[in-house]
Every structure is written in structure tokens, then in C-alpha cells.
């Protein structure tokens, strides 16, 4: 099965700084790489995803970069705001079964 | 349109009792997933339904857990002889097709407390 690791497990930044969360996976057949955000007490929601034929994707202040050779992908958040405070989950997918979610990264943006 | 709904939102039960949790996916979504999330923890995959295919039950933690999906729509997760370690939030999600390239839409969850 897929082994997924996220780093760091917790991250605290000052408002306006950038945050980077890294996800490593083991299955080289993985071809879809989403990131989900879960605010406190709420349900997870997809914020950005990337397919294996693309190296980088950006959507306003968030971006995802993919390194298939090294089997990792990262979430980048620039100009962080307090509302970015949440737990972020990666979920690399091979298409053969349901997603395997990482253990999550708790991001705290200090105002 | 309506999102994924789950009922009940909260369930308190006594150890040893059976519970049933319900999930109504988004209409037209062929894939349905159940996850479990303990306090402050990640999402633990339980079971995955895709269309008429046999479900992927590889995440079910024990034979006390079972799930069915009737008519390709509503799903029920059943936990028999509940134990205290079953206490968690049970999340259901659905997607238009299989997990690849398809956003999973999550329900609000059912918070299960086993006394």
C-alpha cells in the first residue's frame, strides 16, 4: 500500500510569511496529488490538486509543486493570513483504491 | 445543490451496543467513502464504494464494522458491539467518479461517543 508522510506536523508562522508543507509518498504509480484543508470543527475541503504530468500549479496565494522522481509534493502558501490556520492533508492517489491521507500538518498563523 | 449529509450529527451509546450511521451522498456521485477521525488525528480510511463494483473494505479495523450502499446512493456504516476506542468522528465523502482526479466532498460527520 501507499506510505504517506507529511512534514512538519505543526507549523507556526507570522502573518504575511510563507508556509511550506511537504508530502512524501512511496507508490511510484501515484498520479494525482490533492491537498485538503480542514478548519477547526469543520469538514475537509479540497484546496488545490495537481496531476502527474504537471510540475507546478498555482491558485492565487497557494501553489503545489511536484517532484515525481523524488516522490514528493509540496503545498506553498504565500502571504499567510489568520484564516489560513487549519490542518492540511495531502492524499497522493494511484487510482487503484481510495486515497491515503497523510497524518496532517497543523498550521497556525500568528496575527 | 445539496452537499453530502450525514445523520445523526452526534451519537452517544453504551459500550456493547450497536450503532448505525447514515450517509447521503451528492446526487449522481458514483463513489462513496467512509473515514474515521479521532480527536486531533488524521483521516483513517474505512471503506470505499464505486458504482456496482465490490467495495474496498481494506480499511475496516475489525469484523465489528460493516457498511452497505443501497441502490448506489445512501450508505449505512454499522458498528456492532461498540467499544470505547470506536469513539471518533465518522466522515463520509462522495465524488463524481473514482478518487483519481475527482474532488471528494465531505459530509459534516457523525461524532460517536461510546461510554
Amino acid at each position: 500500500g501507499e506510505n504517506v508522510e507529511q512534514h512538519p506536523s505543526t507549523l507556526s508562522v507570522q502573518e504575511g510569511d510563507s508556509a511550506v508543507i511537504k508530502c512524501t509518498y512511496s507508490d511510484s504509480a501515484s498520479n494525482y496529488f490533492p491537498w485538503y484543508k480542514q478548519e477547526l470543527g469543520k469538514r475537509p475541503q479540497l484546496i488545490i490538486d495537481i496531476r502527474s504530468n504537471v510540475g507546478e500549479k498555482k491558485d492565487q496565494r497557494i501553489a503545489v509543486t511536484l517532484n515525481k522522481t523524488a516522490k514528493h509534493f509540496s503545498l506553498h502558501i504565500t502571504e499567510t493570513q489568520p484564516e489560513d490556520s487549519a490542518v492540511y492533508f495531502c492524499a497522493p492517489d494511484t487510482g487503484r483504491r481510495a486515497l491515503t491521507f497523510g497524518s496532517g500538518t497543523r498550521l497556525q498563523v500568528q496575527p | 445543490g445539496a452537499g453530502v449529509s450525514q445523520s445523526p450529527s452526534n451519537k452517544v451509546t453504551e459500550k456493547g451496543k450497536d450503532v448505525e450511521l447514515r450517509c447521503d451522498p451528492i446526487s449522481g456521485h458514483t463513489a462513496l467513502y467512509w473515514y474515521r477521525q479521532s480527536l486531533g488525528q488524521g483521516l483513517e480510511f474505512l471503506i470505499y464504494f464505486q458504482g456496482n463494483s465490490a467495495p474496498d473494505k481494506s480499511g475496516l479495523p475489525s469484523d465489528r464494522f460493516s457498511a452497505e450502499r443501497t441502490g448506489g446512493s445512501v450508505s449505512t456504516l454499522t458498528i456492532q458491539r461498540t467499544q470505547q476506542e470506536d469513539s471518533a468522528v465518522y466522515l463520509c465523502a462522495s465524488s463524481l467518479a473514482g478518487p483519481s482526479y475527482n474532488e471528494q466532498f465531505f459530509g459534516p460527520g457523525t461524532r460517536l461517543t461510546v461510554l
Side-chain angles (χ1 to χ4, degrees):
Chain A
E2 178 86 276
N3 289 323
V4 180
E5 291 188 2
Q6 277 185 241
H7 297 281
S9 56
T10 60
L11 179 60
S12 183
V13 299
Q14 290 295 124
E15 183 176 356
D17 287 351
S18 295
V20 181
I21 303 169
K22 185 176 180 180
C23 181
T24 60
Y25 59 94
S26 61
D27 193 333
S28 57
S30 295
N31 54 21
Y32 172 61
F33 308 92
W35 284 95
Y36 283 78
K37 174 184 180 182
Q38 186 176 28
E39 296 179 34
L40 187 62
K42 297 191 176 180
R43 69 193 79 181
Q45 290 188 301
L46 179 73
I47 55 170
I48 195 166
D49 57 9
I50 194 170
R51 301 189 181 193
S52 59
N53 59 345
V54 177
E56 181 176 356
K57 181 177 178 180
K58 190 173 182 180
D59 182 4
Q60 299 183 356
R61 294 187 300 107
I62 61 173
V64 55
T65 58
L66 171 64
N67 185 328
K68 283 212 73 178
T69 303
K71 289 189 281 189
H72 67 73
F73 62 112
S74 298
L75 176 69
H76 305 255
I77 306 174
T78 59
E79 300 171 33
T80 53
Q81 301 170 4
E83 53 264 37
D84 295 328
S85 295
V87 178
Y88 292 83
F89 295 98
C90 65
D93 172 54
T94 63
R96 292 197 290 267
R97 54 158 287 171
L99 299 177
T100 300
F101 283 80
S103 54
T105 296
R106 184 173 301 278
L107 173 65
Q108 183 68 44
V109 179
Q110 306 289 345
Chain B
V4 177
S5 61
Q6 292 184 246
S7 60
S9 55
N10 280 283
K11 177 70 176 179
V12 180
T13 190
E14 293 180 346
K15 178 181 174 181
K17 295 285 180 68
D18 297 352
V19 296
E20 283 190 353
L21 312 180
R22 177 187 168 106
C23 172
D24 282 87
I26 293 173
S27 178
H29 280 193
T30 63
L32 186 146
Y33 318 78
W34 283 99
Y35 299 92
R36 177 168 71 174
Q37 188 171 37
S38 300
L39 187 62
Q41 301 300 308
L43 295 163
E44 177 188 3
F45 165 72
L46 297 177
I47 189 168
Y48 158 50
F49 296 89
Q50 172 57 59
N52 295 320
S53 302
D56 177 354
K57 304 180 182 180
S58 60
L60 295 178
S62 77
D63 57 9
R64 296 187 295 105
F65 288 72
S66 63
E68 61 178 22
R69 187 179 186 192
T70 54
S73 181
V74 172
S75 177
T76 302
L77 177 69
T78 301
I79 309 173
Q80 295 179 309
R81 306 181 301 282
T82 52
Q83 302 294 312
Q84 289 183 332
E85 59 262 31
D86 299 335
S87 297
V89 176
Y90 289 80
L91 289 162
C92 173
S94 71
S95 62
L96 191 58
S100 279
Y101 313 132
N102 287 293
E103 178 177 359
Q104 291 192 23
F105 294 85
F106 284 83
T110 293
R111 182 175 299 278
L112 174 66
T113 303
V114 182
L115 301 176

